[in-house]
Amino acid sequence: MRIPTFLRGPFDGAGRAVALLATGVLVQCGALVVMAVPWLDGGPTKASSCLVAVVAMVAVLAAGCPLLTRMQRARFRARLGVEIPVAGRSWSWRQLGYHLAAGPLIALGGALTLLLWAASAVAATTYVWVWALPTETRLAQAGYAVQAGYLTAAGLAGLYGAAWLSRTLARLDTRAAVRRLGPSRAELLEQRVEEVTESRAGVLDAADAERRRIERDLHDGAQQRLVSMAVNLGLAKVTLTDLPEDARKVIDEAHREAKEAIAELSNLVRGLHPAVLEDRGLDAALSGIAERAPLPVGLTVDLPVRPAPAVEAVAYFVVSEALANVVKHARAGRADVRVETRGGILLVVVTDDGVGGADPTGGTGLAGLAKRVASVDGTFSISSPAGGPTIVTVELPCAP
Amino acid sequence: MRAVIAEDSVLLRIGLVKVLETAGFDVVAETGDAEAVLAAVEEHRPGLVVLDVRMPPGFTDEGVRAALVIRQQWPDTAVLLLSQYVEERYAADLLSGDTRGVGYLLKERVADVEEFIDALRRVAGGGTALDPQVVSQLLLRRHSDPLDRLTPREREVLELMASGRSNAGIAEGLFVSESAVAKHINSILAKLDLPKADADHRRVLAVLRFLGVG
């Protein structure tokens, strides 16, 4: 026989809720016995010794707090399959609050609910009990059938009520346990920040590795082929001197194009993650950038030890972008680049004597720079009054 | 003249062989790593070795180290290093002794076949061939002092002079007369307090000393 949903619904999951409440009651009874120790010998009589007893009780509970927390966590896992996240500390006032207040209160509610279940079950089955009575007794009580009907109805209502109560209490218990026994909001946030920091570092590393891979692929692949082609064309130019003028022109043109393609590809690769940076560090890589800049660039690099690859890459990018901006916008006569470490900070300063007025929110270049710097928790600042000079200062945290 | 080539990229190696043969060298051995090149030099005693800086097994500076061994053990063998990028340290290591028969060029210069052949012949003939970029990076390091007294033209001449060009080579590169170049050079040597020297390589040595290399 199928029981309609509206009749059956309230009992769905009630079994597990009851099991949770019952085990809760058991755990609290255990705790109660432990707490009752100071009162075993008739209990303290004076107020002062009462206080001592209360303090001792709380102390016992506090000492047992990690154990109790473990038990409660096991209870929720076994009965409901709910995993309560592990808090950062094994002891806290919040956890104690659960064991002293929320836990016992809910256990009390749970005990009453269990009683309601029992009483309602007995009431709902009144007819069964009635039929078990001797016939004379039944006959002596006129109208027993009607009263038994009331009792049965009340019992059934009690069963529904108990089911609802069980589930509500179980829900309350779960919520209280998660809130009090699990990590606090601050701990959760801390954990989250840690995770995010870690995953961001991972993403950065992956991006760096990817850039390096592309650099290597381009270098080993396309660039070698282009160089080889340019060499062949150059050889043709040198050796095939008796070709008609037109043919030599074509070869000449192709040779020039190939060399330009090599130069473009080299520039592209340098923008990604130059091999010199990986092999030889910032000093060598930056002197390459400074040398290629179309204006005089003073370069001072003072690094006793090499920073982490991600930091090196960002510092390189900063100088490269900043100098590109100087060339594009500043109309400067010269620029100066200074890179040094100051107590766990890698300081990069790019100065130019140009017209100033650079707006960090205006172009994509400076905004991209700031973003790249922020990705390693660095700070970016620019001072560029109209008329110059422009000073870009970047501080990157690096382990000393 | 016999030549040995050590370059791990096969394509570039084939190109190098062709260029060297065009330039009149007899390529007696070509290898892809630094160990094998030493064995090849031992066996063939070439007049010129062309080496890539970055080679197996470590892909760092095997070529530079092999070059230093060659310079030490067979001083008469000219060495030309090819590098993917300019690292002044390599140049400094290579030039720290005698600058005769030494070259340090960027790989992409190979594509400028005519100029590369010039550099090859210069190095094989006991001269010096430094990449212009090496020289300008070295100049960059010295951002105070007497260099500021040089005119832009004199700086250009200094860069070419340091890279190993002869007066005629400099004149050709700057489209000026040889006597003008000689005048510039005298002025430069005076401003930088460098001794006058007739031989190109000794002049290079003086300039490099001045730049803090060697």
Side-chain angles (χ1 to χ4, degrees):
Chain A
M1 187 184 75
R2 280 191 60 124
I3 305 167
T5 314
F6 72 95
L7 287 178
R8 200 187 51 201
F11 292 97
D12 276 347
R16 291 198 302 168
V18 169
L20 180 80
L21 291 177
T23 46
V25 170
L26 280 178
V27 171
Q28 291 304 334
C29 284
L32 213 60
V33 169
V34 174
M35 285 192 289
V37 169
W39 272 272
L40 277 185
D41 194 22
T45 43
K46 273 186 280 177
S48 59
S49 46
C50 249
L51 191 69
V52 170
V54 167
V55 170
M57 195 178 85
V58 173
V60 165
L61 208 61
C65 182
L67 177 71
L68 274 173
T69 303
R70 266 205 303 282
M71 281 170 71
Q72 295 290 11
R73 193 173 286 124
R75 179 166 76 97
F76 282 97
R77 191 186 309 122
R79 295 294 146 254
L80 293 185
V82 171
E83 197 62 55
I84 294 170
V86 180
R89 291 179 298 164
S90 64
W91 191 98
S92 69
W93 285 110
R94 286 183 315 111
Q95 295 182 20
L96 205 57
Y98 179 85
H99 299 313
L100 269 176
L105 276 177
I106 290 169
L108 185 64
L112 292 177
T113 309
L114 290 178
L115 273 178
L116 180 62
W117 274 109
S120 305
V122 170
T125 50
T126 308
Y127 280 110
V128 177
W129 309 118
V130 168
W131 284 113
L133 291 174
T135 321
E136 305 89 71
T137 322
R138 266 189 278 149
L139 288 176
Q141 298 281 323
Y144 76 90
V146 179
Q147 284 171 2
Y150 287 144
L151 262 179
T152 305
L156 281 175
L159 282 179
Y160 277 99
W164 179 83
L165 259 178
S166 303
R167 288 189 321 175
T168 306
L169 275 175
R171 211 165 41 238
L172 275 178
D173 201 4
T174 312
R175 200 185 304 162
V178 167
R179 203 172 286 172
R180 304 249 157 200
L181 299 181
S184 67
R185 213 177 132 66
E187 280 175 340
L188 276 176
L189 282 176
E190 210 171 282
Q191 221 172 338
R192 187 86 194 106
V193 167
E194 233 164 69
E195 282 165 19
V196 169
T197 309
E198 217 165 90
S199 73
R200 186 182 63 173
V203 168
L204 278 182
D205 283 351
D208 249 11
E210 186 64 7
R211 277 193 211 104
R212 240 167 282 169
R213 190 189 62 73
I214 295 172
E215 183 269 319
R216 224 167 268 147
D217 283 0
L218 281 177
H219 174 255
D220 295 343
Q223 210 168 14
Q224 301 292 340
R225 270 181 204 286
L226 276 174
V227 170
S228 162
M229 183 174 92
V231 167
N232 283 330
L233 287 166
L235 277 172
K237 229 169 85 177
V238 173
T239 52
L240 304 177
T241 43
D242 51 353
L243 281 179
E245 183 64 25
D246 287 354
R248 286 191 28 209
K249 238 179 170 171
V250 169
I251 292 175
D252 214 35
E253 182 75 7
H255 185 223
R256 212 182 49 243
E257 297 247 351
K259 283 197 291 185
E260 273 165 18
I262 293 169
E264 266 175 37
L265 199 58
S266 305
N267 276 332
L268 173 73
V269 164
R270 268 196 290 273
L272 284 170
H273 189 109
V276 60
L277 180 61
E278 193 176 347
D279 293 358
R280 311 294 301 179
L282 266 179
D283 195 1
L286 291 183
S287 62
I289 303 184
E291 188 276 326
R292 279 186 300 275
L295 77 168
V297 177
L299 177 67
T300 319
V301 181
D302 183 14
L303 297 174
V305 282
R306 279 187 71 168
V311 174
E312 272 190 338
V314 172
Y316 176 85
F317 180 76
V318 165
V319 175
S320 164
E321 278 298 302
L323 282 182
N325 273 332
V326 171
V327 171
K328 255 188 267 173
H329 310 294
R331 299 207 290 277
R334 69 171 282 127
D336 278 287
V337 177
R338 191 155 50 85
V339 180
E340 61 190 41
T341 44
R342 260 189 216 162
I345 295 286
L346 181 73
L347 183 70
V348 181
V349 184
V350 181
T351 323
D352 71 69
D353 61 355
V355 294
D359 178 11
T361 54
T364 52
L366 286 173
L369 240 172
K371 258 186 218 159
R372 188 90 189 258
V373 169
S375 75
V376 290
D377 285 333
T379 60
F380 168 88
S381 67
I382 181 166
S383 147
S384 184
T390 301
I391 303 171
V392 172
T393 310
V394 166
E395 292 184 353
L396 304 169
C398 63
Chain B
M1 188 186 270
R2 284 195 302 272
V4 168
I5 294 173
E7 161 66 61
D8 61 308
S9 155
V10 179
L11 279 173
L12 190 57
R13 193 158 80 206
I14 295 168
L16 277 172
V17 171
K18 279 193 251 175
V19 173
L20 262 81
E21 279 171 353
T22 308
F25 291 94
D26 176 19
V27 179
V28 287
E30 36 176 308
T31 70
D33 69 273
E35 299 261 309
V37 75
L38 290 180
V41 172
E42 168 92 77
E43 189 190 335
H44 299 287
R45 298 297 169 88
L48 172 71
V49 183
V50 179
L51 286 150
D52 185 1
V53 168
R54 212 181 186 196
M55 277 191 291
F59 291 99
T60 53
D61 57 355
E62 284 76 7
V64 179
R65 277 183 272 139
L68 291 177
V69 173
I70 295 169
R71 298 285 298 160
Q72 204 184 12
Q73 293 195 5
W74 301 283
D76 294 334
T77 301
V79 175
L80 175 63
L81 270 180
L82 296 177
S83 179
Q84 189 189 338
Y85 47 80
V86 167
E87 162 60 296
E88 299 131 47
R89 198 61 250 140
Y90 295 157
D93 286 349
L94 197 66
L95 298 167
S96 60
D98 197 350
T99 56
R100 261 178 302 184
V102 177
Y104 180 86
L105 295 176
L106 281 179
K107 268 189 186 181
E108 54 201 63
R109 307 285 178 219
V110 181
D112 294 314
V113 175
E114 284 167 292
E115 283 171 39
F116 184 66
I117 287 177
D118 263 1
L120 278 174
R121 290 193 174 131
R122 202 155 71 227
V123 172
T128 313
L130 282 186
D131 201 280
Q133 208 176 316
V134 176
V135 180
S136 54
Q137 263 181 238
L138 288 171
L139 283 171
L140 183 91
R141 293 286 175 191
R142 308 268 309 199
H143 32 78
S144 52
D145 53 38
L147 282 176
D148 291 340
R149 296 204 293 268
L150 300 186
T151 64
R153 189 51 137 188
E154 284 167 352
R155 275 184 90 102
E156 285 176 332
V157 173
L158 178 66
E159 284 183 22
L160 290 173
M161 185 164 80
S163 71
R165 299 255 193 129
S166 64
N167 284 14
I170 297 170
E172 200 180 310
L174 296 178
F175 304 107
V176 294
S177 71
E178 255 186 80
S179 61
V181 170
K183 246 198 316 203
H184 284 310
I185 288 178
N186 279 335
S187 164
I188 293 167
L189 294 178
K191 282 182 183 172
L192 302 185
D193 283 333
L194 291 174
K196 286 192 181 180
D198 291 330
D200 290 340
H201 76 262
R202 281 181 52 196
R203 213 169 57 187
V204 171
L205 192 64
V207 174
L208 290 174
R209 286 263 154 77
F210 172 76
L211 292 176
V213 181

